[in-house]
């Protein structure tokens, strides 16, 4: 029984750490233990490590660690630069043969940088290794008691579709804003004059459409920018959000399918080898779930430990993907983006500070006007302390939210007609004007 609870505690700790590290910065986890664990893992642990090095080895040890950090993380590594330049040259000199002869094509799939290649190789290595382990450990039991032979093919096609969605999202245009199409994107959404105002991109030197953002990694302006995905080394924006959502949903279903399939393989092995019958008849174990479960779990860990670890891994990844997909699905239903979520947070915080400053100014002005007058009562002085808290409530107004069905249609039915499908914004959409000061 102790081993059973040890596995449960280990799984819960692993899940908590994984969720905290990957999702701790999400707005939903702010002010929660998940957010605190994320800050400790990403910043606090390193600071404590530096303090420990300083206490044991002094300033020389601290400076050594900081120099290693600078060389690995901040400074341009000459070895990586050399490999990156060679990779870029190889892709840029790619030759294709067409009907008109040989045409030199510069690769635009995002493979010209070492970072993008590494990210995609890591993804392919993870999904390829996982599928290889499934094949080596579980395919010998298929067909089995619960699974038919068709699952050999369905698993292969499921993984292939997942890789296809990954490549489609990685190589698709997120909605690059250029001088040739900037007028179309400018007419797509109005400026709300709160988080989006009329301005020019200082890098691209073109007008900046509402809801767009210049990605410093991709070095381009992206329409309806959501975020830059490090796994795909591509921005998620106007034209590939639907691919990204399909990628998340499919991989969530893929992990759930893998977890259930491996679980059914193990259940089939228990049934085929009559483990329950042996435990009851030959070992005298009571015929109850509470009595049989520890012995069955112990046998599975001894005979099929790889499949158990694989199930735990797939279950944890499926939970992470479920949370990530739910977060982006909510953004889709409210017609907002991750970038806009953080911009709204900054806007609301700035407005709150501005209102607090105005309230403090009014309180100081009132105090100056009361000089020379009799001191006020303790009751009035007590309630005056809450003057800063009685500030104006900052309202978040998303002018791009047009309703459930319209938001879904806009996310999944976008095509090359950038402005035509959303012309109603300019005709019926609210355009908020800030009051003149």
């Amino acid at each position: 029984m102790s081993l059973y609870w040890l596995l449960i505690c280990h799984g819960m700790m692993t899940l908590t750490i994984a969720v905290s590290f990957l999702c701790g910065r999400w707005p939903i986890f702010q002010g929660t233990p998940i957010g605190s664990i994320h800050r400790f893992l990403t910043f606090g642990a390193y600071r404590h490590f530096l303090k420990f090095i300083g206490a044991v080895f002094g300033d020389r040890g601290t400076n050594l660690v900081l120099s290693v950090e600078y060389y690995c993380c901040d400074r341009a590594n000459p070895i990586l630069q050399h490999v990156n330049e060679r990779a870029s040259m190889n892709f840029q000199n790619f030759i294709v043969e067409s009907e008109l002869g040989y045409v030199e094509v510069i690769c635009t799939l995002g493979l010209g940088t070492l970072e993008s290649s590494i990210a995609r190789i890591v993804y392919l290595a993870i999904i390829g290794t996982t599928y290889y382990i499934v094949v080596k450990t579980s395919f010998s039991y298929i067909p089995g008691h619960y699974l038919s032979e068709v699952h050999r093919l369905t698993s292969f096609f499921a993984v292939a579709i997942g890789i296809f969605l990954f490549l489609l999202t990685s190589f698709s245009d997120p909605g690059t804003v250029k001088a040739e199409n900037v007028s179309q994107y400018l007419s797509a959404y109005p400026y709300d004059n709160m988080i989006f105002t009329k301005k020019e991109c200082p890098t691209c030197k073109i007008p900046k459409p509402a809801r767009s953002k210049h990605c410093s990694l991709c070095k381009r302006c992206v329409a309806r920018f959501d975020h830059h995905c490090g796994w795909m080394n591509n921005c998620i924006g106007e034209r590939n959000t639907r691919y990204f959502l399909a990628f998340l949903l499919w991989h969530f279903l893929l992990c759930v399918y893998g977890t259930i399939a491996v679980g059914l393989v193990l259940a089939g092995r228990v049934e085929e080898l009559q483990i329950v019958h042996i435990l009851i008849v030959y070992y005298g174990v009571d015929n109850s779930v509470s009595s049989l479960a520890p012995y069955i779990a112990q046998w599975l860990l001894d005979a099929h430990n790889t499949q158990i670890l694989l199930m735990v891994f797939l279950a944890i990844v499926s939970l992470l993907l479920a949370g990530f997909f739910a977060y982006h699905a909510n953004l889709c239903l409210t017609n907002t983006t991750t970038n806009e979520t953080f911009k709204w947070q900054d806007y609301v915080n700035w407005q709150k500070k501005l209102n607090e400053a105005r309230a403090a100014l009014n309180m100081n002005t009132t105090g100056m006007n009361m000089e020379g007058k009799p001191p006020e009562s303790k009751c009035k002085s007590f309630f005056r302390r809450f003057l800063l808290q009685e500030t104006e409530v900052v309202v978040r107004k998303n002018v791009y939210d047009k309703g459930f069905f319209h938001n879904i249609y806009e996310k999944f039915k976008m095509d090359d007609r950038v402005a035509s499908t959303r012309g109603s914004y300019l005709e019926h959409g609210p355009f908020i004007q800030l009051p003149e000061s």
Side-chain angles (χ1 to χ4, degrees):
M1 183 63 70
S2 59
L3 179 62
Y4 177 75
W5 286 107
L6 181 63
L7 288 175
I8 294 179
C9 295
H10 179 270
M12 294 299 297
M13 290 180 59
T14 304
L15 177 62
T16 302
I17 293 175
V19 172
S20 302
F21 181 75
L22 297 175
C23 314
R25 291 189 61 187
W26 291 6
I28 192 175
F29 292 125
Q30 286 189 352
T32 64
I34 298 295
S36 302
I37 296 174
H38 175 82
R39 287 191 296 272
F40 175 78
L41 293 176
T42 53
F43 300 103
Y46 181 66
R47 286 200 295 264
H48 288 299
F49 173 72
L50 286 179
K51 291 180 181 179
F52 173 77
I53 294 297
V56 176
F57 300 101
D59 294 338
R60 296 183 61 181
T62 304
N63 294 333
L64 177 62
V65 174
L66 293 176
S67 62
V68 172
E69 176 197 359
Y70 172 76
Y71 181 82
C72 297
C73 303
D74 299 330
R75 181 178 178 269
N77 195 306
I79 300 177
L80 297 181
Q81 279 189 331
H82 176 71
V83 176
N84 185 24
E85 291 174 359
R86 294 293 301 272
S88 300
M89 291 175 59
N90 292 336
F91 283 113
Q92 289 179 0
N93 293 329
F94 180 67
I95 304 296
V96 296
E97 184 177 4
S98 65
E99 296 179 357
L100 300 179
Y102 290 94
V103 181
E104 184 174 1
V105 178
I106 298 178
C107 179
T108 60
L109 299 182
L111 292 174
T113 60
L114 181 65
E115 293 80 1
S116 61
S117 300
I118 291 176
R120 296 187 178 105
I121 290 173
V122 168
Y123 164 80
L124 294 175
I126 291 175
I127 194 170
T129 303
T130 304
Y131 184 68
Y132 175 78
I133 294 175
V134 171
V135 171
K136 294 292 290 184
T137 59
S138 302
F139 270 32
S140 58
Y141 306 119
I142 300 175
H145 189 81
Y146 294 106
L147 295 178
S148 62
E149 193 171 2
V150 70
H151 289 279
R152 289 172 173 260
L153 295 177
T154 56
S155 61
F156 173 79
F157 285 112
V159 173
I161 293 175
I163 295 176
F164 170 76
L165 290 174
F166 173 80
L167 297 176
L168 180 63
T169 310
S170 299
F171 298 153
S172 60
D173 178 23
T176 305
V177 181
K178 304 177 183 178
E180 295 79 13
N181 60 7
V182 65
S183 59
Q184 294 176 328
Y185 284 113
L186 285 171
S187 61
Y189 294 106
Y191 296 98
D192 60 1
N193 286 331
M194 288 187 290
I195 60 175
F196 296 109
T197 57
K198 291 184 178 181
K199 62 176 66 175
E200 182 184 86
C201 177
T203 305
C204 299
K205 304 301 180 182
I206 57 176
K208 195 173 183 180
R211 311 190 73 181
S212 67
K213 187 181 187 305
H214 183 87
C215 179
S216 58
L217 299 176
C218 295
K219 303 187 186 313
R220 58 183 173 182
C221 283
V222 177
R224 204 177 69 202
F225 178 88
D226 188 275
H227 70 285
H228 181 91
C229 183
W231 284 99
M232 303 174 181
N233 197 49
N234 193 18
C235 291
I236 306 301
E238 174 84 25
R239 298 176 62 87
N240 63 352
T241 299
R242 56 190 181 274
Y243 304 144
F244 180 71
L245 290 173
F247 166 81
L248 292 178
L249 179 60
W250 186 262
H251 279 72
F252 162 70
L253 297 176
L254 181 62
C255 290
V256 172
Y257 171 61
T259 304
I260 296 175
V262 175
L264 290 177
V265 167
L266 297 180
R269 294 298 297 162
V270 172
E271 190 70 23
E272 292 168 358
L273 299 177
Q274 298 182 349
I275 302 299
V276 175
H277 177 74
I278 293 174
L279 289 174
I280 295 175
V281 175
Y282 294 97
Y283 290 91
V285 181
D286 294 337
N287 189 11
S288 62
V289 176
S290 59
S291 300
L292 291 171
Y295 294 99
I296 295 177
Q298 184 176 1
W299 178 80
L300 289 173
L301 288 173
D302 182 59
H304 300 281
N305 52 3
T306 304
Q307 288 96 323
I308 294 293
L309 294 176
L310 187 63
M311 282 184 59
V312 173
F313 171 74
L314 292 175
I316 292 176
V317 174
S318 65
L319 291 176
L320 294 176
L321 290 173
F324 203 34
F325 175 76
Y327 173 75
H328 280 277
N330 180 66
L331 294 180
C332 173
L333 298 179
T334 57
N335 202 351
T336 186
T337 64
T338 305
N339 176 56
E340 292 169 6
T341 300
F342 289 105
K343 290 178 75 70
W344 274 115
Q345 289 180 355
D346 296 337
Y347 175 81
V348 170
N349 293 335
W350 176 75
Q351 286 291 335
K352 287 181 179 180
K353 292 179 180 180
L354 183 62
N355 293 338
E356 290 176 359
R358 290 174 178 172
L361 181 62
N362 293 335
M363 186 175 64
N364 293 335
T365 305
T366 304
M368 293 176 60
N369 295 334
M370 293 182 60
E371 291 183 357
K373 296 183 179 181
E376 60 183 4
S377 62
K378 293 183 178 180
C379 182
K380 291 184 178 180
S381 176
F382 175 80
F383 284 104
R384 184 177 295 277
R385 298 175 186 176
F386 299 94
L387 182 61
L388 291 176
Q389 300 179 3
E390 299 174 358
T391 57
E392 181 182 355
V393 178
V394 180
V395 180
R396 170 178 168 173
K397 178 65 175 178
N398 182 14
V399 301
Y400 309 113
D401 186 358
K402 289 297 183 177
F404 180 84
F405 294 103
H406 188 281
N407 295 340
I408 294 180
Y409 175 81
E410 182 178 329
K411 290 285 185 178
F412 292 96
K413 293 295 183 181
M414 282 303 302
D415 51 28
D416 293 334
R417 297 171 298 173
V418 176
S420 62
T421 57
R422 295 193 303 268
S424 59
Y425 273 107
L426 300 180
E427 299 174 3
H428 308 290
F431 191 90
I432 297 177
Q433 294 286 348
L434 291 179
E436 296 182 358
S437 57

